[in-house]
Amino acid sequence: MLDYSHPSAHPFNTACKYCHNGPLEHYTFGEDSEECVTTLDEYLLRVNEEPFHYNYLLNLMTTPNITDYLTAVDLTEDVYALPIHLQQLISEAKEEIVVSKLVDQQGMKTTDKPALSRLETLRDYVTTRSDGDISTVINILEEIIYDEDELADILRN
């Protein structure tokens, strides 16, 4: 039986896209830094080292006042990496705030803000479920990002 104790000791390691066989730059995160993994534990350890990619959403869910945050902070590139239903919810809420401020300046009656209300409902759900623990908030947000049905259920209630 062959011994694969070292990641680059497997057959065809020179053609393996995960084994680096020359002087390459070292990447801290991402697929380019991965070598062939010999155990599931090593794989899970490397996957868990990846940073959280949705900082805008995390900040939005942990801010004390969503309206002030949406007013003060422009949408960043990581918002456009979110699933379309979350992009749309955040964009609509931001638009409602801008329109509301314009209407207030003209002295007219403000309108309802259904997208902002749904966003606050989502934040309340995440806050309640996480009990204030940021690492749990990240896990809950990842679940919501990848499970559209769960998000729909949260916003429906």
Side-chain angles (χ1 to χ4, degrees):
M1 177 166 232
L2 296 173
D3 178 27
Y4 299 134
S5 59
H6 188 270
S8 62
H10 67 86
F12 310 110
N13 68 339
T14 56
C16 180
K17 68 178 184 175
Y18 298 106
C19 290
H20 299 293
N21 296 304
L24 295 174
E25 291 183 26
H26 177 71
Y27 296 98
T28 306
F29 300 107
E31 186 176 319
D32 291 338
S33 69
E34 292 184 33
E35 294 177 344
C36 291
V37 178
T38 57
T39 65
L40 179 61
D41 291 334
E42 287 180 29
Y43 172 76
L44 291 175
L45 180 64
R46 289 181 188 201
V47 168
N48 291 333
E49 288 177 357
E50 291 286 328
F52 186 67
H53 297 288
Y54 307 106
N55 292 322
Y56 189 91
L57 183 62
L58 178 63
N59 292 337
L60 189 62
M61 292 297 117
T62 56
T63 187
N65 189 334
I66 289 180
T67 304
D68 289 344
Y69 185 82
L70 287 172
T71 303
V73 180
D74 292 330
L75 297 178
T76 58
E77 288 184 19
D78 60 326
V79 171
Y80 301 109
L82 290 169
I84 191 71
H85 54 278
L86 281 172
Q87 287 180 33
Q88 185 176 4
L89 180 61
I90 293 169
S91 296
E92 286 177 6
K94 191 167 181 76
E95 183 178 325
E96 287 173 358
I97 293 168
V98 170
V99 168
S100 175
K101 287 191 181 220
L102 290 174
V103 167
D104 286 345
Q105 287 175 355
Q106 295 175 356
M108 300 171 67
K109 184 179 177 186
T110 58
T111 59
D112 290 337
K113 301 179 190 118
L116 183 60
S117 176
R118 291 192 322 260
L119 200 56
E120 288 173 346
T121 300
L122 177 62
R123 191 216 20 213
D124 292 343
Y125 170 82
V126 169
T127 303
T128 302
R129 212 173 130 201
S130 69
D131 199 29
D133 182 17
I134 295 296
S135 63
T136 306
V137 169
I138 291 172
N139 291 336
I140 293 167
L141 289 176
E142 285 179 341
E143 287 176 19
I144 291 169
I145 288 168
Y146 296 111
D147 189 358
E148 294 179 26
D149 295 332
E150 183 178 0
L151 177 65
D153 289 342
I154 294 166
L155 297 178
R156 201 173 301 131
N157 294 330

